Amino acid sequence: MLKPIKKGSLVETAIESLRGAIENGQWPVGSRLPVEAELSEALGISRNTIREAVRVLVHVGMLETRQGDGTYVRANRDAGETLRRIARSQLAEQLEVRLMLETEAARLAATRRTDSDLKAMSDALDARARAGDNLTDRIHHDEWFHHALVRASHNSALIELYDYFSHAVSQTIERTERDDDLPEPSQEDHELLLAAIRRKDPAKAEMLSRALLSPSLDVINRQNQP
């Protein structure tokens, strides 16, 4: 059950209370929330505060307001909070997810890529090469390449999922580039992957995409062994 709010930022605390109740199943997806007056009484805060908290949860996609009908639960997870949880996950787990997404993207890209896709990937790798020892620029262009590769899959669901995971992608690229203990995928490794996509060789593209990340993942897994 909801507990009255006593301290802290009222709106933020109201958001957390409502989010927690939804995530815990108090209001399943598709159910209607109690009216503002009931929520206000349960939490011990004003209806204006409830209204603002609901507005935030509508914005992040957890709730849906239906004119003249009330507010309904649209999703039992806050996408923004999920993203923050992903960012806190272990690097190995993030790399495992990247492997799943990028190897499939590479396989699809090798059969579906267009000339404009090839140009976007090639431009990104050329810029990565020009960055030289400028690590910040190299990381930026590395990200650009991988996003261009995923877009070349022409699978809208995969593209959306990868964009959603993009913060964790950035973290893994930066860690593998900056951490001397982790194998750093070379410019040549990336160029070979692009060549396989250019030749429309899905099996080779999938293998080379996996080879970019597997060495780092193997090192991390060995380090995590007791």
Side-chain angles (χ1 to χ4, degrees), residues 26-62:
Q26 182 170 335
W27 300 306
V29 173
S31 64
R32 185 170 65 181
L33 260 63
V35 297
E36 283 181 2
E38 293 180 31
L39 292 173
S40 174
E41 182 177 356
L43 293 173
I45 56 177
S46 71
R47 293 175 62 174
N48 284 339
T49 302
I50 290 292
R51 193 173 300 120
E52 182 61 27
V54 167
R55 186 179 296 116
V56 171
L57 293 177
V58 168
H59 177 73
V60 301
M62 290 191 78

PDB file of all heavy atoms in Angstrom, residues 26-62:
ATOM      1  N   GLN A  26       1.002  -3.200  -7.892  1.00  0.00           N
ATOM      2  CA  GLN A  26      -0.210  -2.721  -7.210  1.00  0.00           C
ATOM      3  C   GLN A  26      -1.252  -2.291  -8.236  1.00  0.00           C
ATOM      4  O   GLN A  26      -2.445  -2.505  -8.042  1.00  0.00           O
ATOM      5  CB  GLN A  26       0.135  -1.557  -6.283  1.00  0.00           C
ATOM      6  CG  GLN A  26      -1.066  -1.039  -5.493  1.00  0.00           C
ATOM      7  CD  GLN A  26      -0.664  -0.046  -4.413  1.00  0.00           C
ATOM      8  OE1 GLN A  26       0.469  -0.077  -3.938  1.00  0.00           O
ATOM      9  NE2 GLN A  26      -1.581   0.820  -4.018  1.00  0.00           N
ATOM     10  N   TRP A  27      -0.782  -1.685  -9.326  1.00  0.00           N
ATOM     11  CA  TRP A  27      -1.659  -1.341 -10.451  1.00  0.00           C
ATOM     12  C   TRP A  27      -1.082  -1.990 -11.704  1.00  0.00           C
ATOM     13  O   TRP A  27      -0.100  -1.502 -12.264  1.00  0.00           O
ATOM     14  CB  TRP A  27      -1.748   0.182 -10.632  1.00  0.00           C
ATOM     15  CG  TRP A  27      -2.297   0.898  -9.438  1.00  0.00           C
ATOM     16  CD1 TRP A  27      -3.452   0.665  -8.791  1.00  0.00           C
ATOM     17  CD2 TRP A  27      -1.674   1.992  -8.738  1.00  0.00           C
ATOM     18  NE1 TRP A  27      -3.604   1.528  -7.727  1.00  0.00           N
ATOM     19  CE2 TRP A  27      -2.533   2.351  -7.679  1.00  0.00           C
ATOM     20  CE3 TRP A  27      -0.485   2.691  -8.911  1.00  0.00           C
ATOM     21  CZ2 TRP A  27      -2.237   3.388  -6.786  1.00  0.00           C
ATOM     22  CZ3 TRP A  27      -0.178   3.717  -8.036  1.00  0.00           C
ATOM     23  CH2 TRP A  27      -1.052   4.051  -6.985  1.00  0.00           C
ATOM     24  N   PRO A  28      -1.661  -3.087 -12.165  1.00  0.00           N
ATOM     25  CA  PRO A  28      -1.133  -3.776 -13.357  1.00  0.00           C
ATOM     26  C   PRO A  28      -1.281  -2.912 -14.610  1.00  0.00           C
ATOM     27  O   PRO A  28      -2.063  -1.950 -14.637  1.00  0.00           O
ATOM     28  CB  PRO A  28      -2.008  -5.041 -13.445  1.00  0.00           C
ATOM     29  CG  PRO A  28      -2.641  -5.178 -12.093  1.00  0.00           C
ATOM     30  CD  PRO A  28      -2.785  -3.790 -11.564  1.00  0.00           C
ATOM     31  N   VAL A  29      -0.535  -3.267 -15.633  1.00  0.00           N
ATOM     32  CA  VAL A  29      -0.653  -2.594 -16.922  1.00  0.00           C
ATOM     33  C   VAL A  29      -2.097  -2.697 -17.412  1.00  0.00           C
ATOM     34  O   VAL A  29      -2.711  -3.760 -17.382  1.00  0.00           O
ATOM     35  CB  VAL A  29       0.304  -3.216 -17.961  1.00  0.00           C
ATOM     36  CG1 VAL A  29       0.055  -2.624 -19.343  1.00  0.00           C
ATOM     37  CG2 VAL A  29       1.750  -3.012 -17.553  1.00  0.00           C
ATOM     38  N   GLY A  30      -2.646  -1.554 -17.830  1.00  0.00           N
ATOM     39  CA  GLY A  30      -4.018  -1.507 -18.312  1.00  0.00           C
ATOM     40  C   GLY A  30      -5.028  -1.081 -17.266  1.00  0.00           C
ATOM     41  O   GLY A  30      -6.175  -0.763 -17.596  1.00  0.00           O
ATOM     42  N   SER A  31      -4.611  -1.061 -15.983  1.00  0.00           N
ATOM     43  CA  SER A  31      -5.536  -0.677 -14.922  1.00  0.00           C
ATOM     44  C   SER A  31      -5.577   0.838 -14.768  1.00  0.00           C
ATOM     45  O   SER A  31      -4.656   1.546 -15.171  1.00  0.00           O
ATOM     46  CB  SER A  31      -5.134  -1.322 -13.595  1.00  0.00           C
ATOM     47  OG  SER A  31      -3.863  -0.845 -13.177  1.00  0.00           O
ATOM     48  N   ARG A  32      -6.658   1.324 -14.183  1.00  0.00           N
ATOM     49  CA  ARG A  32      -6.812   2.761 -13.982  1.00  0.00           C
ATOM     50  C   ARG A  32      -6.363   3.143 -12.576  1.00  0.00           C
ATOM     51  O   ARG A  32      -6.703   2.468 -11.604  1.00  0.00           O
ATOM     52  CB  ARG A  32      -8.261   3.180 -14.197  1.00  0.00           C
ATOM     53  CG  ARG A  32      -8.465   4.689 -14.122  1.00  0.00           C
ATOM     54  CD  ARG A  32      -9.851   5.090 -14.580  1.00  0.00           C
ATOM     55  NE  ARG A  32     -10.885   4.573 -13.696  1.00  0.00           N
ATOM     56  CZ  ARG A  32     -12.193   4.771 -13.881  1.00  0.00           C
ATOM     57  NH1 ARG A  32     -12.608   5.460 -14.930  1.00  0.00           N
ATOM     58  NH2 ARG A  32     -13.068   4.260 -13.046  1.00  0.00           N
ATOM     59  N   LEU A  33      -5.615   4.236 -12.478  1.00  0.00           N
ATOM     60  CA  LEU A  33      -5.179   4.730 -11.178  1.00  0.00           C
ATOM     61  C   LEU A  33      -6.358   5.317 -10.408  1.00  0.00           C
ATOM     62  O   LEU A  33      -7.324   5.785 -11.017  1.00  0.00           O
ATOM     63  CB  LEU A  33      -4.118   5.824 -11.355  1.00  0.00           C
ATOM     64  CG  LEU A  33      -2.655   5.413 -11.172  1.00  0.00           C
ATOM     65  CD1 LEU A  33      -2.259   4.397 -12.227  1.00  0.00           C
ATOM     66  CD2 LEU A  33      -1.746   6.634 -11.223  1.00  0.00           C
ATOM     67  N   PRO A  34      -6.276   5.315  -9.090  1.00  0.00           N
ATOM     68  CA  PRO A  34      -7.289   6.030  -8.303  1.00  0.00           C
ATOM     69  C   PRO A  34      -7.306   7.503  -8.692  1.00  0.00           C
ATOM     70  O   PRO A  34      -6.327   8.033  -9.228  1.00  0.00           O
ATOM     71  CB  PRO A  34      -6.813   5.844  -6.855  1.00  0.00           C
ATOM     72  CG  PRO A  34      -5.943   4.622  -6.888  1.00  0.00           C
ATOM     73  CD  PRO A  34      -5.288   4.625  -8.232  1.00  0.00           C
ATOM     74  N   VAL A  35      -8.396   8.170  -8.413  1.00  0.00           N
ATOM     75  CA  VAL A  35      -8.509   9.585  -8.764  1.00  0.00           C
ATOM     76  C   VAL A  35      -7.548  10.407  -7.900  1.00  0.00           C
ATOM     77  O   VAL A  35      -7.055   9.946  -6.871  1.00  0.00           O
ATOM     78  CB  VAL A  35      -9.953  10.087  -8.576  1.00  0.00           C
ATOM     79  CG1 VAL A  35     -10.890   9.347  -9.522  1.00  0.00           C
ATOM     80  CG2 VAL A  35     -10.395   9.937  -7.126  1.00  0.00           C
ATOM     81  N   GLU A  36      -7.288  11.625  -8.331  1.00  0.00           N
ATOM     82  CA  GLU A  36      -6.311  12.484  -7.640  1.00  0.00           C
ATOM     83  C   GLU A  36      -6.609  12.636  -6.158  1.00  0.00           C
ATOM     84  O   GLU A  36      -5.700  12.617  -5.329  1.00  0.00           O
ATOM     85  CB  GLU A  36      -6.281  13.866  -8.292  1.00  0.00           C
ATOM     86  CG  GLU A  36      -5.526  13.933  -9.599  1.00  0.00           C
ATOM     87  CD  GLU A  36      -5.510  15.344 -10.167  1.00  0.00           C
ATOM     88  OE1 GLU A  36      -6.059  16.250  -9.503  1.00  0.00           O
ATOM     89  OE2 GLU A  36      -4.946  15.547 -11.266  1.00  0.00           O
ATOM     90  N   ALA A  37      -7.892  12.788  -5.833  1.00  0.00           N
ATOM     91  CA  ALA A  37      -8.252  12.997  -4.424  1.00  0.00           C
ATOM     92  C   ALA A  37      -7.838  11.797  -3.570  1.00  0.00           C
ATOM     93  O   ALA A  37      -7.334  11.964  -2.451  1.00  0.00           O
ATOM     94  CB  ALA A  37      -9.756  13.242  -4.307  1.00  0.00           C
ATOM     95  N   GLU A  38      -8.021  10.589  -4.078  1.00  0.00           N
ATOM     96  CA  GLU A  38      -7.654   9.389  -3.321  1.00  0.00           C
ATOM     97  C   GLU A  38      -6.140   9.278  -3.180  1.00  0.00           C
ATOM     98  O   GLU A  38      -5.627   8.942  -2.104  1.00  0.00           O
ATOM     99  CB  GLU A  38      -8.210   8.141  -4.013  1.00  0.00           C
ATOM    100  CG  GLU A  38      -9.719   8.032  -4.003  1.00  0.00           C
ATOM    101  CD  GLU A  38     -10.201   6.778  -4.692  1.00  0.00           C
ATOM    102  OE1 GLU A  38      -9.485   5.763  -4.661  1.00  0.00           O
ATOM    103  OE2 GLU A  38     -11.289   6.811  -5.289  1.00  0.00           O
ATOM    104  N   LEU A  39      -5.410   9.554  -4.260  1.00  0.00           N
ATOM    105  CA  LEU A  39      -3.951   9.507  -4.194  1.00  0.00           C
ATOM    106  C   LEU A  39      -3.421  10.576  -3.254  1.00  0.00           C
ATOM    107  O   LEU A  39      -2.471  10.346  -2.497  1.00  0.00           O
ATOM    108  CB  LEU A  39      -3.354   9.696  -5.594  1.00  0.00           C
ATOM    109  CG  LEU A  39      -3.597   8.565  -6.600  1.00  0.00           C
ATOM    110  CD1 LEU A  39      -3.089   8.962  -7.977  1.00  0.00           C
ATOM    111  CD2 LEU A  39      -2.919   7.280  -6.134  1.00  0.00           C
ATOM    112  N   SER A  40      -4.016  11.751  -3.300  1.00  0.00           N
ATOM    113  CA  SER A  40      -3.610  12.845  -2.430  1.00  0.00           C
ATOM    114  C   SER A  40      -3.777  12.471  -0.967  1.00  0.00           C
ATOM    115  O   SER A  40      -2.889  12.708  -0.140  1.00  0.00           O
ATOM    116  CB  SER A  40      -4.433  14.092  -2.756  1.00  0.00           C
ATOM    117  OG  SER A  40      -4.146  15.123  -1.841  1.00  0.00           O
ATOM    118  N   GLU A  41      -4.881  11.845  -0.655  1.00  0.00           N
ATOM    119  CA  GLU A  41      -5.139  11.443   0.734  1.00  0.00           C
ATOM    120  C   GLU A  41      -4.189  10.328   1.161  1.00  0.00           C
ATOM    121  O   GLU A  41      -3.657  10.340   2.274  1.00  0.00           O
ATOM    122  CB  GLU A  41      -6.583  10.977   0.882  1.00  0.00           C
ATOM    123  CG  GLU A  41      -6.951  10.595   2.310  1.00  0.00           C
ATOM    124  CD  GLU A  41      -8.416  10.210   2.441  1.00  0.00           C
ATOM    125  OE1 GLU A  41      -9.160  10.309   1.437  1.00  0.00           O
ATOM    126  OE2 GLU A  41      -8.811   9.797   3.548  1.00  0.00           O
ATOM    127  N   ALA A  42      -3.942   9.356   0.255  1.00  0.00           N
ATOM    128  CA  ALA A  42      -3.082   8.222   0.595  1.00  0.00           C
ATOM    129  C   ALA A  42      -1.642   8.658   0.847  1.00  0.00           C
ATOM    130  O   ALA A  42      -0.971   8.150   1.754  1.00  0.00           O
ATOM    131  CB  ALA A  42      -3.124   7.179  -0.519  1.00  0.00           C
ATOM    132  N   LEU A  43      -1.153   9.615   0.055  1.00  0.00           N
ATOM    133  CA  LEU A  43       0.230  10.058   0.181  1.00  0.00           C
ATOM    134  C   LEU A  43       0.404  11.249   1.113  1.00  0.00           C
ATOM    135  O   LEU A  43       1.517  11.608   1.482  1.00  0.00           O
ATOM    136  CB  LEU A  43       0.792  10.412  -1.210  1.00  0.00           C
ATOM    137  CG  LEU A  43       0.957   9.234  -2.177  1.00  0.00           C
ATOM    138  CD1 LEU A  43       1.340   9.729  -3.555  1.00  0.00           C
ATOM    139  CD2 LEU A  43       2.000   8.257  -1.652  1.00  0.00           C
ATOM    140  N   GLY A  44      -0.695  11.893   1.447  1.00  0.00           N
ATOM    141  CA  GLY A  44      -0.616  13.033   2.347  1.00  0.00           C
ATOM    142  C   GLY A  44      -0.011  14.263   1.709  1.00  0.00           C
ATOM    143  O   GLY A  44       0.684  15.041   2.379  1.00  0.00           O
ATOM    144  N   ILE A  45      -0.260  14.448   0.419  1.00  0.00           N
ATOM    145  CA  ILE A  45       0.249  15.608  -0.303  1.00  0.00           C
ATOM    146  C   ILE A  45      -0.875  16.218  -1.130  1.00  0.00           C
ATOM    147  O   ILE A  45      -1.947  15.631  -1.278  1.00  0.00           O
ATOM    148  CB  ILE A  45       1.433  15.230  -1.226  1.00  0.00           C
ATOM    149  CG1 ILE A  45       1.028  14.114  -2.184  1.00  0.00           C
ATOM    150  CG2 ILE A  45       2.649  14.836  -0.409  1.00  0.00           C
ATOM    151  CD1 ILE A  45       2.108  13.729  -3.159  1.00  0.00           C
ATOM    152  N   SER A  46      -0.609  17.380  -1.688  1.00  0.00           N
ATOM    153  CA  SER A  46      -1.650  18.096  -2.413  1.00  0.00           C
ATOM    154  C   SER A  46      -1.960  17.434  -3.747  1.00  0.00           C
ATOM    155  O   SER A  46      -1.140  16.698  -4.325  1.00  0.00           O
ATOM    156  CB  SER A  46      -1.223  19.541  -2.658  1.00  0.00           C
ATOM    157  OG  SER A  46      -0.193  19.594  -3.631  1.00  0.00           O
ATOM    158  N   ARG A  47      -3.141  17.753  -4.263  1.00  0.00           N
ATOM    159  CA  ARG A  47      -3.527  17.221  -5.574  1.00  0.00           C
ATOM    160  C   ARG A  47      -2.646  17.803  -6.679  1.00  0.00           C
ATOM    161  O   ARG A  47      -2.386  17.135  -7.677  1.00  0.00           O
ATOM    162  CB  ARG A  47      -5.002  17.523  -5.825  1.00  0.00           C
ATOM    163  CG  ARG A  47      -5.927  16.772  -4.877  1.00  0.00           C
ATOM    164  CD  ARG A  47      -7.386  17.149  -5.043  1.00  0.00           C
ATOM    165  NE  ARG A  47      -7.890  16.835  -6.373  1.00  0.00           N
ATOM    166  CZ  ARG A  47      -9.177  16.970  -6.724  1.00  0.00           C
ATOM    167  NH1 ARG A  47     -10.068  17.418  -5.839  1.00  0.00           N
ATOM    168  NH2 ARG A  47      -9.571  16.668  -7.936  1.00  0.00           N
ATOM    169  N   ASN A  48      -2.169  19.040  -6.491  1.00  0.00           N
ATOM    170  CA  ASN A  48      -1.268  19.634  -7.485  1.00  0.00           C
ATOM    171  C   ASN A  48       0.039  18.835  -7.602  1.00  0.00           C
ATOM    172  O   ASN A  48       0.569  18.637  -8.704  1.00  0.00           O
ATOM    173  CB  ASN A  48      -0.953  21.087  -7.136  1.00  0.00           C
ATOM    174  CG  ASN A  48      -2.103  22.018  -7.456  1.00  0.00           C
ATOM    175  OD1 ASN A  48      -2.972  21.693  -8.264  1.00  0.00           O
ATOM    176  ND2 ASN A  48      -2.123  23.175  -6.813  1.00  0.00           N
ATOM    177  N   THR A  49       0.544  18.377  -6.454  1.00  0.00           N
ATOM    178  CA  THR A  49       1.774  17.582  -6.453  1.00  0.00           C
ATOM    179  C   THR A  49       1.536  16.245  -7.142  1.00  0.00           C
ATOM    180  O   THR A  49       2.361  15.774  -7.930  1.00  0.00           O
ATOM    181  CB  THR A  49       2.275  17.355  -5.019  1.00  0.00           C
ATOM    182  OG1 THR A  49       2.490  18.621  -4.391  1.00  0.00           O
ATOM    183  CG2 THR A  49       3.571  16.564  -5.010  1.00  0.00           C
ATOM    184  N   ILE A  50       0.389  15.628  -6.856  1.00  0.00           N
ATOM    185  CA  ILE A  50       0.020  14.373  -7.514  1.00  0.00           C
ATOM    186  C   ILE A  50      -0.062  14.587  -9.021  1.00  0.00           C
ATOM    187  O   ILE A  50       0.449  13.785  -9.818  1.00  0.00           O
ATOM    188  CB  ILE A  50      -1.334  13.853  -6.984  1.00  0.00           C
ATOM    189  CG1 ILE A  50      -1.196  13.372  -5.534  1.00  0.00           C
ATOM    190  CG2 ILE A  50      -1.881  12.750  -7.873  1.00  0.00           C
ATOM    191  CD1 ILE A  50      -0.338  12.128  -5.386  1.00  0.00           C
ATOM    192  N   ARG A  51      -0.680  15.696  -9.409  1.00  0.00           N
ATOM    193  CA  ARG A  51      -0.866  15.982 -10.837  1.00  0.00           C
ATOM    194  C   ARG A  51       0.486  16.114 -11.539  1.00  0.00           C
ATOM    195  O   ARG A  51       0.666  15.608 -12.643  1.00  0.00           O
ATOM    196  CB  ARG A  51      -1.687  17.265 -10.993  1.00  0.00           C
ATOM    197  CG  ARG A  51      -2.210  17.511 -12.412  1.00  0.00           C
ATOM    198  CD  ARG A  51      -3.142  18.703 -12.447  1.00  0.00           C
ATOM    199  NE  ARG A  51      -4.293  18.498 -11.579  1.00  0.00           N
ATOM    200  CZ  ARG A  51      -4.623  19.280 -10.546  1.00  0.00           C
ATOM    201  NH1 ARG A  51      -3.871  20.340 -10.266  1.00  0.00           N
ATOM    202  NH2 ARG A  51      -5.666  19.019  -9.811  1.00  0.00           N
ATOM    203  N   GLU A  52       1.452  16.777 -10.880  1.00  0.00           N
ATOM    204  CA  GLU A  52       2.779  16.951 -11.477  1.00  0.00           C
ATOM    205  C   GLU A  52       3.513  15.615 -11.581  1.00  0.00           C
ATOM    206  O   GLU A  52       4.165  15.333 -12.583  1.00  0.00           O
ATOM    207  CB  GLU A  52       3.598  17.936 -10.639  1.00  0.00           C
ATOM    208  CG  GLU A  52       4.982  18.226 -11.194  1.00  0.00           C
ATOM    209  CD  GLU A  52       4.958  18.857 -12.576  1.00  0.00           C
ATOM    210  OE1 GLU A  52       3.949  19.529 -12.910  1.00  0.00           O
ATOM    211  OE2 GLU A  52       5.938  18.665 -13.331  1.00  0.00           O
ATOM    212  N   ALA A  53       3.395  14.799 -10.539  1.00  0.00           N
ATOM    213  CA  ALA A  53       4.051  13.482 -10.559  1.00  0.00           C
ATOM    214  C   ALA A  53       3.471  12.614 -11.668  1.00  0.00           C
ATOM    215  O   ALA A  53       4.204  11.929 -12.389  1.00  0.00           O
ATOM    216  CB  ALA A  53       3.885  12.796  -9.199  1.00  0.00           C
ATOM    217  N   VAL A  54       2.174  12.655 -11.821  1.00  0.00           N
ATOM    218  CA  VAL A  54       1.518  11.881 -12.882  1.00  0.00           C
ATOM    219  C   VAL A  54       1.982  12.379 -14.248  1.00  0.00           C
ATOM    220  O   VAL A  54       2.237  11.587 -15.160  1.00  0.00           O
ATOM    221  CB  VAL A  54      -0.016  11.969 -12.744  1.00  0.00           C
ATOM    222  CG1 VAL A  54      -0.708  11.453 -14.017  1.00  0.00           C
ATOM    223  CG2 VAL A  54      -0.483  11.178 -11.533  1.00  0.00           C
ATOM    224  N   ARG A  55       2.109  13.695 -14.383  1.00  0.00           N
ATOM    225  CA  ARG A  55       2.545  14.274 -15.661  1.00  0.00           C
ATOM    226  C   ARG A  55       3.944  13.754 -16.046  1.00  0.00           C
ATOM    227  O   ARG A  55       4.191  13.436 -17.208  1.00  0.00           O
ATOM    228  CB  ARG A  55       2.560  15.803 -15.559  1.00  0.00           C
ATOM    229  CG  ARG A  55       2.855  16.497 -16.881  1.00  0.00           C
ATOM    230  CD  ARG A  55       2.831  18.008 -16.743  1.00  0.00           C
ATOM    231  NE  ARG A  55       1.499  18.485 -16.376  1.00  0.00           N
ATOM    232  CZ  ARG A  55       1.212  19.103 -15.239  1.00  0.00           C
ATOM    233  NH1 ARG A  55       2.160  19.341 -14.354  1.00  0.00           N
ATOM    234  NH2 ARG A  55      -0.015  19.492 -14.987  1.00  0.00           N
ATOM    235  N   VAL A  56       4.834  13.645 -15.057  1.00  0.00           N
ATOM    236  CA  VAL A  56       6.179  13.136 -15.316  1.00  0.00           C
ATOM    237  C   VAL A  56       6.130  11.678 -15.760  1.00  0.00           C
ATOM    238  O   VAL A  56       6.794  11.267 -16.719  1.00  0.00           O
ATOM    239  CB  VAL A  56       7.068  13.277 -14.068  1.00  0.00           C
ATOM    240  CG1 VAL A  56       8.400  12.539 -14.258  1.00  0.00           C
ATOM    241  CG2 VAL A  56       7.328  14.746 -13.763  1.00  0.00           C
ATOM    242  N   LEU A  57       5.310  10.872 -15.085  1.00  0.00           N
ATOM    243  CA  LEU A  57       5.225   9.453 -15.422  1.00  0.00           C
ATOM    244  C   LEU A  57       4.516   9.228 -16.755  1.00  0.00           C
ATOM    245  O   LEU A  57       4.769   8.231 -17.432  1.00  0.00           O
ATOM    246  CB  LEU A  57       4.525   8.685 -14.294  1.00  0.00           C
ATOM    247  CG  LEU A  57       5.320   8.631 -12.988  1.00  0.00           C
ATOM    248  CD1 LEU A  57       4.528   7.917 -11.904  1.00  0.00           C
ATOM    249  CD2 LEU A  57       6.670   7.946 -13.192  1.00  0.00           C
ATOM    250  N   VAL A  58       3.666  10.152 -17.135  1.00  0.00           N
ATOM    251  CA  VAL A  58       3.085  10.104 -18.485  1.00  0.00           C
ATOM    252  C   VAL A  58       4.175  10.388 -19.502  1.00  0.00           C
ATOM    253  O   VAL A  58       4.279   9.711 -20.540  1.00  0.00           O
ATOM    254  CB  VAL A  58       1.931  11.125 -18.626  1.00  0.00           C
ATOM    255  CG1 VAL A  58       1.537  11.285 -20.097  1.00  0.00           C
ATOM    256  CG2 VAL A  58       0.717  10.668 -17.816  1.00  0.00           C
ATOM    257  N   HIS A  59       5.024  11.357 -19.191  1.00  0.00           N
ATOM    258  CA  HIS A  59       6.097  11.749 -20.118  1.00  0.00           C
ATOM    259  C   HIS A  59       7.069  10.606 -20.365  1.00  0.00           C
ATOM    260  O   HIS A  59       7.537  10.413 -21.497  1.00  0.00           O
ATOM    261  CB  HIS A  59       6.834  12.965 -19.571  1.00  0.00           C
ATOM    262  CG  HIS A  59       7.989  13.407 -20.418  1.00  0.00           C
ATOM    263  ND1 HIS A  59       7.823  14.032 -21.632  1.00  0.00           N
ATOM    264  CD2 HIS A  59       9.334  13.286 -20.228  1.00  0.00           C
ATOM    265  CE1 HIS A  59       8.997  14.283 -22.161  1.00  0.00           C
ATOM    266  NE2 HIS A  59       9.935  13.843 -21.332  1.00  0.00           N
ATOM    267  N   VAL A  60       7.390   9.826 -19.325  1.00  0.00           N
ATOM    268  CA  VAL A  60       8.348   8.724 -19.496  1.00  0.00           C
ATOM    269  C   VAL A  60       7.682   7.453 -20.004  1.00  0.00           C
ATOM    270  O   VAL A  60       8.351   6.446 -20.236  1.00  0.00           O
ATOM    271  CB  VAL A  60       9.113   8.422 -18.187  1.00  0.00           C
ATOM    272  CG1 VAL A  60       9.874   9.650 -17.731  1.00  0.00           C
ATOM    273  CG2 VAL A  60       8.181   7.915 -17.093  1.00  0.00           C
ATOM    274  N   GLY A  61       6.359   7.485 -20.172  1.00  0.00           N
ATOM    275  CA  GLY A  61       5.681   6.364 -20.800  1.00  0.00           C
ATOM    276  C   GLY A  61       5.077   5.335 -19.870  1.00  0.00           C
ATOM    277  O   GLY A  61       4.552   4.316 -20.336  1.00  0.00           O
ATOM    278  N   MET A  62       5.127   5.569 -18.559  1.00  0.00           N
ATOM    279  CA  MET A  62       4.549   4.595 -17.634  1.00  0.00           C
ATOM    280  C   MET A  62       3.028   4.743 -17.521  1.00  0.00           C
ATOM    281  O   MET A  62       2.319   3.762 -17.302  1.00  0.00           O
ATOM    282  CB  MET A  62       5.171   4.728 -16.239  1.00  0.00           C
ATOM    283  CG  MET A  62       6.607   4.288 -16.163  1.00  0.00           C
ATOM    284  SD  MET A  62       7.215   4.169 -14.448  1.00  0.00           S
ATOM    285  CE  MET A  62       6.502   2.596 -13.933  1.00  0.00           C
TER     286      MET A  62
END
